[in-house]
Amino acid sequence: MERAIITHAHSDHARPGHSSVLASPATLALMRARLGADRAGGSQQALGWGEVIRVGGVEVSLAPAGHVLGSAQIVLDHAGSRVVVSGDYKRRPDPTCDGFEPIACDVFVTEATFALPVFRHPDPAHEIARLLASVALFPDRTHVVGCYALGKCQRLIALLREAGWDAPIHLHGALASLCAVYEDQGVHLGPLKPATGLARDALKGAIVLAPPSAVTDRWARRLSEPVVALASGWMRVRQRAKSRGVELPLVISDHADWDELNETVDEVGAPEIWVTHGREEALIHCVGARGVRGRALRLVGYGDEDDEGLGPEEARAADAVDVLA
Amino acid sequence: MIAFADLLERLVFTPGRNAKIALLRRYFATQPDPDRGIGLAAVTGELSLTVAKPALIRDLAASRTDPALFAWSYDYVGDLAETVALMWPEAETNAPPPTLSEVVETLEGSAKADLPSIVSAWLDASDASVRLALLKLITGGLRVGASARLAKIALAEIASFPVDPDEIEEIWHGLAPPYLPLFAWLEGRGPKPDPLHAPVFRPPMLAHPLEAADLASLNAADYRAEWKWDGIRVQLVATAEGRRIYSRGADDVSAAFPEIVEAMAFDAVLDGELLVVRDGAVAPFADLQQRLNRKVVGAKMMRDYPVAVRLYDILFEAGADLRPLPFDERRRRLQAWYERVRPRLMDLSPMIPFATLDELCAIRADARAASIEGLMLKRGDSAYVPGRPKGQWWKWKRDPLTIDAVLMYAQRGHGKRSSYYSDYTFGLWRRDAAGADELVPVGKAYSGFTDQELGWLDKWVRNHTTARFGPVREVEKSFVLEIAFDAAQLSGRHKSGVALRFPRVARLRPDKPAHEADRLETLMALVENRPSGVQQAA
Ligand SMILES: [Zn+2]
Ligand SMILES: [Zn+2]
């Protein structure tokens, strides 16, 4: 693209090779760390919260989306009407990023990753308490938690710190560099250590964070009788958790749940919403009953990195056929 | 119910046996009476509370949710109770979630018409995890990811003094929820409960597998021989207070075999093998499977799959404990008892006369009936001791059969093996309709390989994957496994028409081209459905 405005640095939203990129300062820093300074966009322009720039006849500004560090909603004003593009967002407090700000608008373009009433995320502190109770019950085992490198990982660390876990948290190699960017951006994560290069016994009773793909794969063989956990909004549905071979599913998500999607639509007061990124039909049906017009907007490439760990492959797992019968 | 719901949730996802025991132990050690006793009953399958039909749950959902949203959600989740548990709207309430005992007591004393309002008030006061446990409990759909045996091991571990799980097993069926005297005994607050004349389970005596090295050390005159039958081992317990059929694992399977219960008009505890027997001939194990795990057994089922018990030991006779007697004496008592009582649907497992071990080897080698797994050797002077005492009883299986099969699919294992592709589906060649060769899957093997071979196979699977279906990978049809199995039996439930008993990997055959693997016809020739040559008991 000639000119791209990026909501946040997840790979399904921040693609390499645009000639000019506009984003929040933290998003630009994360993109440089992930893509390399040269592929993160020809010219990069940082826009702080509330700063306005004109692009053509449109006034553009960014507002926090509460999804991950630097994540933004894009606010577009033109001729007295306002469109807000939410990007991915959540409404729960998150010590690792600025909280979502609802902005009154005429058209609200919303994500819908968890747009079914079965998705209601519990209090994350409750999920962390379950993790710590399990660590106490199995002191000789390593608890390995599957989580995404950008956002989920740092939020889990922050939640563990809030719950009083002061010990070093061990990281898979793929997670370390983004934690360093968070630290640079002023988000303090406490003592972190690599999970590799240690004797098996050294990780007894420890908490290890790793990408979801690693927790049940060969990488995890180095751990001491691991309790495999996975932090994702999808863990709410048993079959999903079962098919991943997860022993301790933790329902912790960086997306709005069903109630929050609906509350947010009501709060921004837009008469029309465009729904991207997930299951449109239920949300459109539900806001329709409240007099809001909904349209499904199919975007390219949605639903990869921060889809919270379950791509089409895992969806099929639930239907894996018994070939003998 | 919070702790109970949490226990259920963790048990469902926890693969490891020791971890399951730890979860159960924590539950029993920390929860108050009578709740933990009700939880124990739920885990051991002693709590049957089917008070609500799925229709009640549907109606409740309809009263609180939008029908279109419910339909999409149900379609996504795939389970009615779970859908309702997850989407039930959060209500403003100060009421605490119900306790387990409160749920059970209330349901027992309530009229059907009051159920909807009672249940919805509970759902309002609960979170999703408690709601799910509650809905599963009241519809009888509770699945517990742990066996009754594990619960008893966990109970033994919370005791304030050394207790063998078998001690709990022996009094178990004389107890009832919420098991207050049991917990009082385990915690040193009360005497050991005495089952008196209740039809309780007696932990069985088990045999060691006989290896070639053991054989040489045996003195033929010390041992008695019987066939090892391919059925399920059962314990028939009939006292003045009731009749029960227990599986080897202490499960009460009486309901699945009502005709046997009816035939138990005596006062004795007997050890034997449950078999499907037609016209005096033992049917394949697959037939017996048709009768297992059924809650209700119809007349047609009893006619099509007629069962009988082949007796081989007597533990109690008219209240007298015969277990300390030597095997020879118990056998004499069993025969005398059988002559006198003549119970229907039961016969005696015959003794096999032999003079030398060589003779016994020949008898074992000749036994080709599918209903026979091999031989049992029991010391003539052995008392009946629970567990697996050394050198008393031996099981001596027939040599396995083998085929060379082609690896077709591999699936990830569980627990310690979850990072390995350790479950292998293998197939044999046959001619398809167009006359071309095709592979048809014939079985799955999870064992028989060394850790080193597992590592090697795992790598091979990853490097030769042609398609992925979640935890399953389809692989190039180019690797041959030598599969060992105990018997091949006809099966209408398998695509190949044949089922293998205890298939395992005998050897990896990287040297063998796939097209030289065996054909389905070769396996079919090994099918043994008639137990010819086996003497029937009188
Ligand atoms: Zn995202
Ligand atoms: Zn996204």
Side-chain angles (χ1 to χ4, degrees):
Chain A
M1 289 257 266
E2 245 334 81
R3 218 190 154 97
I5 307 174
I6 305 284
T7 58
H8 65 287
H10 277 143
S11 60
D12 53 328
H13 297 261
R15 291 164 186 286
H18 301 297
S19 50
S20 106
V21 163
L22 183 72
S24 71
T27 295
L28 290 175
L30 288 162
M31 283 176 72
R32 282 193 296 272
R34 304 196 92 186
L35 301 171
D38 47 328
R39 295 173 70 227
S43 76
Q44 298 182 9
Q45 186 172 4
L47 203 58
W49 302 140
E51 284 174 32
V52 180
I53 70 160
R54 293 192 75 83
V55 179
V58 181
E59 289 182 352
V60 178
S61 61
L62 300 181
H67 173 55
V68 298
L69 179 64
S71 66
Q73 311 174 66
I74 303 168
V75 185
L76 304 168
D77 285 294
H78 176 66
S81 34
R82 171 175 284 175
V83 176
V84 172
V85 180
S86 76
D88 294 339
Y89 67 96
K90 72 168 172 290
R91 304 300 306 268
R92 308 290 165 99
D94 176 349
T96 68
C97 66
D98 294 325
F100 181 92
E101 264 174 34
I103 293 171
C105 56
D106 302 295
V107 174
F108 185 54
V109 183
T110 180
E111 67 137 313
T113 307
F114 290 112
L116 269 183
V118 294
F119 293 110
R120 195 184 292 126
H121 310 322
D123 181 353
H126 174 260
E127 299 299 284
I128 293 294
R130 290 178 55 231
L131 171 61
L132 294 179
S134 184
V135 173
L137 184 63
F138 300 114
D140 289 336
R141 303 176 69 189
T142 304
H143 283 66
V144 56
V145 187
C147 59
Y148 272 92
L150 169 52
K152 185 66 61 65
C153 164
Q154 296 77 19
R155 183 168 176 226
L156 284 177
I157 295 170
L159 286 166
L160 282 164
R161 300 304 183 208
E162 277 181 356
W165 183 266
D166 298 325
I169 294 170
H170 297 266
L171 300 179
H172 181 283
L175 307 183
S177 62
L178 289 175
C179 287
V181 178
Y182 267 66
E183 288 276 356
D184 284 348
Q185 297 286 318
V187 179
H188 298 300
L189 301 172
L192 305 175
K193 282 192 176 166
T196 41
L198 295 167
R200 190 179 300 262
D201 281 359
L203 288 175
K204 280 187 175 177
I207 296 176
V208 173
L209 305 185
S213 57
V215 294
T216 52
D217 212 337
R218 285 174 283 187
W219 183 85
R221 289 178 197 165
R222 72 191 69 222
L223 306 174
S224 170
E225 288 185 71
V227 175
V228 174
L230 191 63
S232 156
W234 300 115
M235 292 297 104
R236 179 125 165 126
V237 177
R238 281 190 171 198
Q239 192 50 47
R240 283 272 173 127
K242 265 274 185 209
S243 69
R244 288 294 305 243
V246 173
E247 181 163 349
L248 183 63
L250 301 174
V251 188
I252 299 178
S253 173
D254 288 324
H255 292 267
D257 68 9
W258 171 253
D259 292 340
E260 291 160 353
L261 289 168
N262 278 284
E263 281 159 27
T264 305
V265 169
D266 292 348
E267 243 177 296
V268 301
E272 180 163 340
I273 63 166
W274 298 354
V275 185
T276 69
H277 229 76
R279 339 189 115 253
E280 314 82 11
E281 70 275 15
L283 189 59
I284 290 172
H285 167 84
C286 197
V287 301
R290 304 200 294 276
V292 175
R293 219 160 64 116
R295 281 173 47 182
L297 195 63
R298 298 231 170 239
L299 295 185
V300 279
Y302 76 72
D304 22 1
E305 172 169 21
D306 69 336
D307 213 6
E308 304 215 325
L310 293 169
E313 188 200 325
E314 278 73 22
R316 261 189 306 172
D319 316 321
V321 278
D322 183 356
V323 293
L324 294 178
Chain B
M1 266 197 72
I2 297 172
F4 178 67
D6 183 60
L7 172 71
L8 288 181
E9 201 167 314
R10 290 231 48 188
L11 286 177
V12 163
F13 290 110
T14 297
R17 184 173 184 273
N18 290 339
K20 284 178 195 283
I21 293 170
L23 290 163
L24 288 161
R25 193 177 55 217
R26 177 177 66 175
Y27 177 78
F28 296 134
T30 58
Q31 293 308 300
D33 288 323
D35 258 48
R36 57 177 172 174
I38 310 242
L40 172 59
V43 171
T44 52
E46 304 283 331
L47 194 65
S48 56
L49 252 196
T50 319
V51 289
K53 296 248 158 26
L56 175 110
I57 299 187
R58 275 178 192 280
D59 292 347
L60 280 178
S63 74
R64 295 289 184 99
T65 61
D66 173 296
L69 293 178
F70 179 80
W72 278 314
S73 298
Y74 188 18
D75 186 52
Y76 180 82
V77 175
D79 178 273
L80 180 66
E82 189 177 356
T83 307
V84 176
L86 292 179
M87 71 183 294
W88 190 260
E90 300 279 300
E92 292 288 331
T93 171
N94 292 322
T99 65
L100 195 48
S101 40
E102 185 184 340
V103 169
V104 172
E105 266 165 40
T106 310
L107 291 178
E108 275 167 358
S110 302
K112 273 234 148 51
D114 298 331
L115 272 184
S117 62
I118 293 172
V119 174
S120 51
W122 281 337
L123 294 177
D124 282 341
S126 304
D127 69 3
S129 141
V130 172
R131 289 193 295 260
L132 180 60
L134 193 59
L135 291 173
K136 291 284 186 189
L137 191 66
I138 66 172
T139 52
L142 199 65
R143 290 218 181 286
V144 183
S147 64
R149 180 69 185 174
L150 291 190
K152 289 161 199 163
I153 294 171
L155 286 172
E157 290 185 7
I158 65 160
S160 54
F161 53 97
V163 171
D164 191 300
D166 279 343
E167 282 184 74
I168 297 171
E169 211 72 87
E170 285 228 6
I171 56 173
W172 177 255
H173 290 279
L175 303 169
Y179 307 104
L180 300 183
L182 173 66
F183 283 108
W185 169 55
L186 293 172
E187 291 171 347
R189 294 181 282 107
K192 182 173 179 176
D194 184 347
L196 298 170
H197 302 296
V200 296
F201 174 73
R202 307 291 173 171
M205 180 159 175
L206 305 170
H208 281 275
L210 185 71
E211 310 293 345
D214 304 313
L215 186 60
S217 70
L218 299 186
N219 178 8
D222 292 342
Y223 286 88
R224 314 292 169 256
E226 300 166 31
W227 297 114
K228 176 163 170 44
W229 300 101
D230 187 16
I232 58 165
R233 186 164 175 197
V234 289
Q235 187 176 100
L236 307 182
V237 184
T239 71
E241 286 178 32
R243 302 175 187 179
R244 298 277 188 283
I245 304 173
Y246 294 113
S247 73
R248 211 189 88 171
D251 292 326
D252 182 349
V253 296
S254 312
F257 306 102
E259 66 269 59
I260 303 290
V261 174
E262 199 190 314
M264 288 163 59
F266 45 73
D267 186 348
V269 177
L270 304 159
D271 198 353
E273 197 85 0
L274 190 79
L275 302 160
V276 168
V277 182
R278 285 195 197 89
D279 305 324
V282 177
F285 189 79
D287 283 26
L288 185 54
Q289 271 174 327
Q290 299 290 323
R291 289 289 304 263
L292 293 171
N293 303 322
R294 292 201 184 248
K295 285 215 172 113
V296 186
V297 181
K300 182 172 184 337
M301 184 56 76
M302 288 198 265
R303 207 167 48 239
D304 292 350
Y305 298 95
V307 288
V309 179
R310 196 146 283 173
L311 303 169
Y312 37 70
D313 216 326
I314 185 164
L315 282 58
F316 283 76
E317 186 182 356
D321 189 351
L322 309 185
R323 292 177 295 176
L325 300 178
F327 174 82
D328 286 342
E329 177 60 13
R330 293 201 311 279
R331 176 75 196 191
R332 204 188 55 73
R333 298 278 291 254
L334 175 65
Q335 277 170 337
W337 175 88
Y338 184 81
E339 290 305 321
R340 199 170 63 246
V341 178
R342 288 272 158 195
R344 286 179 48 249
L345 303 181
M346 293 172 211
D347 61 12
L348 293 181
S349 185
M351 304 300 294
I352 304 168
F354 69 98
T356 66
L357 290 174
D358 285 344
E359 200 181 326
L360 205 55
C361 286
I363 291 169
R364 168 175 169 268
D366 279 354
R368 295 320 303 179
S371 55
I372 290 180
E373 288 186 300
L375 293 173
M376 292 295 301
L377 301 185
K378 299 176 178 175
R379 273 192 78 98
D381 59 3
S382 57
Y384 194 98
V385 182
R388 225 181 280 274
K390 194 83 190 144
Q392 303 296 298
W393 289 11
W394 300 97
K395 54 182 171 191
W396 193 16
K397 284 202 176 188
R398 309 192 299 192
D399 289 333
L401 302 162
T402 61
I403 42 163
D404 288 335
V406 181
L407 179 59
M408 298 180 72
Y409 303 89
Q411 183 170 356
R412 280 182 189 252
H414 296 283
K416 280 201 167 88
R417 283 195 184 165
S418 61
S419 74
Y420 291 92
Y421 286 89
S422 62
D423 301 357
Y424 308 107
T425 300
F426 50 85
L428 298 176
W429 296 108
R430 74 169 169 198
R431 192 79 19 114
D432 69 11
D437 275 349
E438 64 166 1
L439 279 171
V440 56
V442 295
K444 276 189 190 187
Y446 323 84
S447 62
F449 35 77
T450 63
D451 284 354
Q452 203 174 5
E453 286 172 326
L454 173 60
W456 194 92
L457 278 167
D458 178 65
K459 203 172 287 172
W460 191 90
V461 166
R462 290 168 190 271
N463 293 336
H464 297 82
T465 299
T466 56
R468 303 171 65 153
F469 311 94
V472 178
R473 289 184 184 220
E474 184 170 6
V475 295
E476 265 170 36
K477 310 299 183 298
S478 60
F479 193 82
V480 176
L481 296 170
E482 183 182 319
I483 301 291
F485 54 98
D486 286 1
Q489 301 175 341
L490 293 180
S491 164
R493 294 191 299 164
H494 289 70
K495 211 192 280 179
S496 62
V498 59
L500 303 181
R501 292 285 285 150
F502 303 118
R504 62 265 185 193
V505 174
R507 266 197 302 163
L508 313 190
R509 295 295 307 270
D511 54 308
K512 189 158 192 167
H515 65 86
E516 285 180 20
D518 282 319
R519 305 191 61 85
L520 185 58
E521 302 92 270
T522 313
L523 179 60
M524 282 300 185
L526 297 173
V527 168
E528 311 149 7
N529 268 8
R530 296 287 101 187
S532 55
V534 176
Q535 295 287 308
Q536 294 305 311

